[in-house]
Amino acid sequence: MSLWRATEGVTRPAEVTFAVDGTDVSAPAGEPLATALAAAGMLGLRDSPRGGTPRGAFCHMGLCQECVVTVDGRIVQACLTPVRAGMQVRLGGTLR
Amino acid sequence: MIRRADCLVLGAGPAGTEAALAAAEAGLDVVLIDEQADAGGQGWRAPLGSLTLPRKGADAEAGDRLRSRLAASGVDRRLGRRVWSVGGAFRLDAVGPDGAEAYEAPRLIAATGAHERVVPFPGWTLPGVIGLAGATVLLKAQAVLPGRRVVVAGAGPLLFAVAAGIVAKGGTVAAIVDMDGRLAWARRLPGLARRLDLLKEGLGWTWSILGARVPFLAGHGVRCATGRSEVEAVIVGPVDADGAPIAGPERRFACDALAVGHGLVPGGEVPKILRAAHLYDRLRGGFIPELDPYGRTTIENLYACGDGTGIRGARPSAAAGRLAGLAAAHDAGRLDAAAFTALAEPTLQVLSEYRPFADTVAGAMALRPAQVAAIDPATVVCRCEDVSRAEIDAAVDAGASDINQMKHFTRCGMGPCQGRMCGDVAAELVAQRRGVTRETVGYWTQRVPLRPVPFDTMIGSFDYADIPIPPPAPL
Ligand code: FES
């Protein structure tokens, strides 16, 4: 279903809101976008170019490129991109 | 602007940071460069700056000590930089917070670490399936659990670290699926007991897992992950000591995440791109540069250390890093022979003390050829380009004789991950199909960019007027 944030003893920064394909999503400021998306239940980020099968973040450390999305018009790796208020995220179809 | 220095160190994990510290203490002007915002690498990674966590693990503390020594040193820290090109003797091009950057020095220490090997199985591309190393990043740096019910599968110590981390944070581990049988771990005990502190850490994990009554399946592997658009269940079954599936009851575990990994592969793009000699060492994870005891490669003034030179783990990597830093300082004429020997001797000693432990752990994380041999023909091996095992086999049958020819035939390894995810398994498939050694099959030819970078960032603030136009030749 989704990632979830541990709560016991953990203090996180205040949440910010950003848009994913027009839908508002909130997450602690500075959290990696791949984590924020998965925590919001958005695990599938794109389809593979040839087989068209769903893909999501796999390595969470900037290597596999499976988490590639578009942020404010630029292609980025979601696992390396910190969440900012107001960012415009587009999923699907990148790297196709 | 080019930042010139006496020595560049690429990679700020335990190895690179120790190398930078040793070289700087000996008087070299050292620049340490890494993609992450803080030193520590993957293993000793700093938690996200904005988080406060209840309790730090041993790795986080080791990382904190390293980071504070670095902060107090004369090392020029250039963190948050993505190096995309390496060349000459020696120049690094990077993309930093303000765009393009370049670094030059007569010496380069490569400490770029390792990445995870995941041997493919049906369903491994489903969202919700992640690497064990990735799960570690989520748990340690972000205090995030991979799912509500997680299956943790594969081989090596990361299995237990991840499972214990999930339990400690209040998550549910649906099952631990370890390719190794109980016998394998019993046989390893003598090697592990050589480092009681680290063995204790391992036993601590086991203890918390036992306390949480997590189903533990020794000698089992993942048969497949299933789900429509995300992983919903994992089916596991028994495997033999070589990792090949064997007949026996299969079990299904419903889950919303699968964390899986089968060991680590040395990254080591830099020595490959600079054409240092390499050799294949299955125990150490794959192709590694040929090194002298201090980390000198076969290329003059190019040094390498850490897991990128063979899987050993963080602490031995730190020792190897220190040796490489000392060697660079010695070769630069900053440490005379006597001082060099006096400083290097105790570190060589530390490294050899770690060896039995490091070899034992590396053994659990090494490639299992029989597991690769058993990959189903329809399974995707190259995630980026959706290339199946059957297509790789067909390319070999059609005449592709090494890993690079196979790449040209199939596009396997040609995608944006640049062959990092599939390379080790793909090469093993070619070797097995041809019945030849891994040396014969070789490794991907490395090319720049080392990592994907946006083209506009790469060229910087460039203008046509900047191109020097020579005056036309007289007619
Ligand atoms: S999850 Fe692999 S690059 Fe982001």
Side-chain angles (χ1 to χ4, degrees):
Chain A
M1 189 205 70
S2 61
L3 305 197
W4 60 293
R5 302 180 182 99
T7 46
E8 213 176 305
V10 185
T11 333
R12 296 179 195 271
E15 299 214 329
V16 294
T17 302
F18 57 98
V20 182
D21 291 333
T23 309
D24 278 357
V25 174
S26 299
E31 181 170 79
L33 177 59
T35 302
L37 291 170
M42 301 175 178
L43 275 186
L45 302 180
R46 46 185 280 272
D47 293 336
S48 71
R50 192 167 160 225
T53 60
R55 298 293 171 85
F58 180 63
C59 73
H60 284 283
M61 54 176 74
L63 293 173
C64 72
Q65 315 291 327
E66 292 279 30
C67 67
V68 162
V69 300
T70 309
V71 171
D72 298 334
R74 291 183 78 92
I75 293 175
V76 300
Q77 287 158 268
C79 66
L80 299 182
T81 306
V83 162
R84 276 179 291 103
M87 65 204 280
Q88 300 286 323
V89 182
R90 254 188 340 102
L91 307 183
T94 48
L95 288 192
R96 216 187 269 261
Chain B
M1 255 282 283
I2 298 175
R3 164 73 165 95
R4 287 175 219 280
D6 295 332
C7 182
L8 303 176
V9 182
L10 180 56
T17 306
E18 288 289 356
L21 287 169
E25 274 158 28
L28 295 190
D29 175 19
V30 180
V31 178
L32 174 65
I33 310 171
D34 197 283
E35 184 169 25
Q36 289 189 53
D38 222 332
Q42 300 298 347
W44 291 356
R45 196 184 252 266
L48 282 183
S50 48
L51 284 186
T52 32
L53 301 176
R55 190 173 46 84
K56 286 199 168 167
D59 285 346
E61 279 170 9
D64 283 349
R65 281 195 294 277
L66 191 71
R67 284 182 282 274
S68 61
R69 279 170 57 215
L70 182 63
S73 76
V75 174
D76 181 2
R77 285 163 293 158
R78 302 292 180 108
L79 303 169
R81 264 77 174 177
R82 173 168 274 208
V83 170
W84 61 271
S85 169
V86 50
F90 296 94
R91 177 186 166 114
L92 298 175
D93 284 276
V95 173
D98 306 316
E101 298 176 355
Y103 300 89
E104 272 183 14
R107 285 162 217 291
L108 172 63
I109 301 177
T112 51
H115 49 258
E116 194 158 41
R117 172 195 304 113
V118 181
V119 177
F121 49 85
W124 78 304
T125 57
L126 280 171
V129 178
I130 64 171
L132 281 178
T136 322
V137 172
L138 293 177
L139 287 161
K140 284 196 198 166
Q142 305 178 27
V144 164
L145 291 108
R148 297 269 168 189
R149 265 183 80 75
V150 189
V151 173
V152 182
L158 273 185
L159 265 182
F160 304 99
V162 167
I166 292 171
V167 168
K169 294 205 159 37
T172 304
V173 177
I176 301 174
V177 186
D178 187 356
M179 298 205 68
D180 278 318
R182 290 197 157 84
L183 247 180
W185 284 109
R187 265 200 302 272
R188 284 191 195 119
L189 261 179
L192 298 178
R194 296 290 287 274
R195 289 296 315 191
L196 277 179
D197 50 339
L198 299 183
L199 178 62
K200 236 177 76 197
E201 189 179 27
L203 291 177
W205 296 336
T206 317
W207 197 242
S208 68
I209 293 162
L210 285 175
R213 301 188 183 283
V214 175
F216 176 54
L217 288 94
H220 278 63
V222 174
R223 294 280 198 262
C224 63
T226 61
R228 234 171 42 83
S229 55
E230 301 168 2
V231 62
E232 289 162 18
V234 177
I235 295 171
V236 308
V239 297
D240 68 15
D242 298 322
I246 49 176
E250 296 189 345
R251 290 181 64 178
R252 180 180 185 278
F253 292 96
C255 63
D256 59 1
L258 165 62
V260 59
H262 303 104
L264 302 175
V265 180
E269 292 89 359
V270 170
K272 286 184 190 136
I273 229 169
L274 295 170
R275 297 184 184 264
H278 283 69
L279 53 92
Y280 180 74
D281 185 339
R282 191 170 72 86
L283 177 66
R284 295 262 97 92
F287 276 95
I288 55 175
E290 279 180 44
L291 300 178
D292 81 350
Y294 307 98
R296 295 183 181 97
T297 69
T298 54
I299 303 290
E300 208 182 351
N301 297 327
L302 173 66
Y303 310 79
C305 52
D307 278 340
T309 68
I311 306 308
R312 285 179 184 79
R315 288 166 183 87
S317 290
R322 179 167 163 78
L323 288 173
L326 292 173
H330 175 52
D331 297 348
R334 296 301 175 95
L335 279 180
D336 62 28
F340 173 64
T341 313
L343 289 169
E345 242 352 280
T347 309
L348 280 171
Q349 189 63 34
V350 169
L351 203 53
S352 75
E353 276 164 21
Y354 269 114
R355 189 165 181 132
F357 184 89
D359 284 3
T360 307
V361 173
M365 301 178 97
L367 180 85
R368 290 162 170 76
Q371 185 191 4
V372 175
I375 297 172
D376 180 74
T379 302
V380 162
V381 173
C382 165
R383 300 172 66 104
C384 297
E385 298 284 334
D386 280 325
V387 180
S388 69
R389 180 203 175 142
E391 290 172 291
I392 293 172
D393 286 346
V396 174
D397 295 347
S401 63
D402 68 24
I403 180 89
N404 290 300
Q405 283 183 5
M406 187 280 285
K407 172 176 171 176
H408 299 147
F409 277 45
T410 61
R411 295 191 62 83
C412 174
M414 220 178 266
C417 92
Q418 300 174 285
R420 286 185 178 90
M421 295 294 118
C422 66
D424 187 55
V425 168
E428 182 68 25
L429 284 169
V430 175
Q432 290 185 6
R433 189 79 176 178
R434 282 194 61 205
V436 297
T437 63
R438 287 289 297 271
E439 284 86 348
T440 311
V441 169
Y443 44 85
W444 307 124
T445 303
Q446 296 291 333
R447 293 198 176 81
V448 297
L450 289 167
R451 298 282 169 90
V453 280
F455 200 68
D456 57 349
T457 326
M458 199 161 90
I459 57 176
S461 54
F462 164 85
D463 194 279
Y464 265 113
D466 297 340
I467 304 179
I469 301 173
L475 289 173

